[in-house]
């Protein structure tokens, strides 16, 4: 149980294009999903908290107009990297927190590797 | 702002050696503590977690961690490592009232020599 999927697993795009990444909780509902960015050999940096039915909460320094987050249902959140540039190349990871009282554990997706040429 | 610090960037051990990975955090209030493991090419998996109660927490694959509140520490231990434990290990902390936001440490790469 507690499986989180991401699609696509990797994507290569041209500079200036937009890329959408999906995060799905497959066997549980999640009111809250999180989006992280991981640079090579570094830790995960929280980008934003995605809440179903409301606007995402972005961490300091993360451009909300560049990284659009939509959490349309209890099992799906999407991250759209708009007008991607080479510096946006990274590993993007989502996590989902099950809909349960006092449940603080997050389950992570396999990540999406983005390469912007 | 809260921070999480892992003391060791890269640890190299022989099989059967004992392991201890350090983790310290800076927040003084109620915290939830986690250790995650990331095997090569795989996604993050939860090793163990501490919310409250017994400060000695046992996780999967023979790992355990001890929460020492006075030292703001949550060190990960395993008495005898295996080659298959080769992975990246992340300590993470969430504050009690922050809606589950996880702050990760820098990670420790563990290499176990057969």
């Amino acid at each position: 149980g507690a499986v989180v999927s991401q699609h696509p697993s990797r994507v290569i795009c041209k500079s200036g294009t937009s890329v959408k990444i999906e995060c799905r909780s497959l066997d549980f509902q999640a009111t809250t999903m999180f989006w992280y960015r991981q640079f090579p050999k570094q830790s995960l940096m929280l980008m934003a908290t995605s809440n179903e039915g409301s606007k995402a909460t972005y961490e300091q320094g993360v451009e909300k107009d560049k990284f659009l987050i939509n959490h349309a249902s209890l099992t799906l959140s999407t991250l759209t990297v708009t007008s991607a540039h080479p510096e946006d190349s990274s590993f993007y990871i989502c996590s989902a927190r099950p809909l349960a009282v006092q449940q603080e554990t997050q389950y992570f997706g396999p990540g999406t590797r983005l390469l912007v040429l | 702002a809260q921070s999480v610090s892992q003391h060791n960037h890269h640890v190299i051990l022989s099989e059967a050696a004992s392991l201890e990975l350090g983790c310290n955090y800076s927040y003084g209030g109620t915290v939830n503590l986690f250790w995650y493991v990331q095997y090569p090419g795989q996604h993050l998996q939860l090793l163990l977690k501490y919310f409250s109660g017994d400060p000695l927490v046992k996780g999967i694959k023979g790992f355990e961690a001890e929460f020492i509140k006075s030292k703001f520490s949550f060190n990960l231990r395993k008495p005898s490592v295996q080659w298959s434990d080769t992975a990246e290990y992340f300590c993470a902390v969430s504050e009690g009232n922050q809606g589950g936001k996880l702050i990760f440490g820098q990670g420790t790469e563990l290499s176990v020599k057969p």
Side-chain angles (χ1 to χ4, degrees), chain B residues 15-90:
Chain B
E15 276 195 315
S18 64
L19 170 73
E20 181 160 3
L21 302 182
C23 173
N24 286 90
Y25 61 94
S26 64
Y27 184 66
T30 301
V31 292
N32 305 302
L33 300 156
F34 307 82
W35 275 98
Y36 284 89
V37 60
Q38 188 174 32
Y39 297 103
Q42 297 188 27
H43 62 280
L44 279 167
Q45 299 175 40
L46 181 67
L47 268 181
L48 48 78
K49 59 189 176 185
Y50 171 81
F51 293 159
S52 64
D54 188 345
L56 184 61
V57 180
K58 295 197 182 298
I60 61 171
K61 304 187 181 186
F63 287 91
E64 65 178 30
E66 184 175 13
F67 170 49
I68 303 179
K69 189 174 182 179
S70 61
K71 294 184 178 180
F72 299 89
S73 71
F74 190 56
N75 292 356
L76 180 71
R77 299 194 293 249
K78 185 170 184 178
S80 177
V81 294
Q82 300 172 322
W83 176 78
S84 57
D85 293 323
T86 295
E88 187 92 19
Y89 292 81
F90 294 96

Side-chain angles (χ1 to χ4, degrees), chain A residues 5-11 19-23 34-39 44-45 47-48 62 66-67 69 79-82 84-95 108-116, chain B residues 38 43:
Chain A
S5 71
Q6 280 184 243
H7 178 78
S9 58
R10 60 179 63 216
V11 56
V19 175
K20 180 185 282 188
I21 303 170
E22 292 186 348
C23 176
F34 302 88
W35 286 96
Y36 297 86
R37 186 171 176 177
Q38 186 180 29
F39 292 100
L44 283 77
M45 299 298 295
M47 298 175 64
V62 178
K66 182 165 186 63
F67 299 100
I69 291 173
L79 168 68
T80 301
V81 183
T82 62
H85 288 93
E87 59 265 29
D88 299 323
S89 298
S90 190
F91 195 51
Y92 293 87
I93 303 173
C94 75
S95 71
F108 285 80
T112 296
R113 189 163 301 283
L114 170 63
L115 177 61
V116 185
Chain B
Q38 188 174 32
H43 62 280

Side-chain angles (χ1 to χ4, degrees), chain A residues 14-46:
Chain A
K14 292 181 180 180
S15 184
T17 61
S18 294
V19 175
K20 180 185 282 188
I21 303 170
E22 292 186 348
C23 176
R24 292 181 185 274
S25 55
L26 298 184
D27 50 3
F28 64 97
Q29 293 182 322
T31 52
T32 305
M33 292 183 173
F34 302 88
W35 286 96
Y36 297 86
R37 186 171 176 177
Q38 186 180 29
F39 292 100
K41 298 294 185 182
Q42 294 188 32
S43 187
L44 283 77
M45 299 298 295
L46 179 65

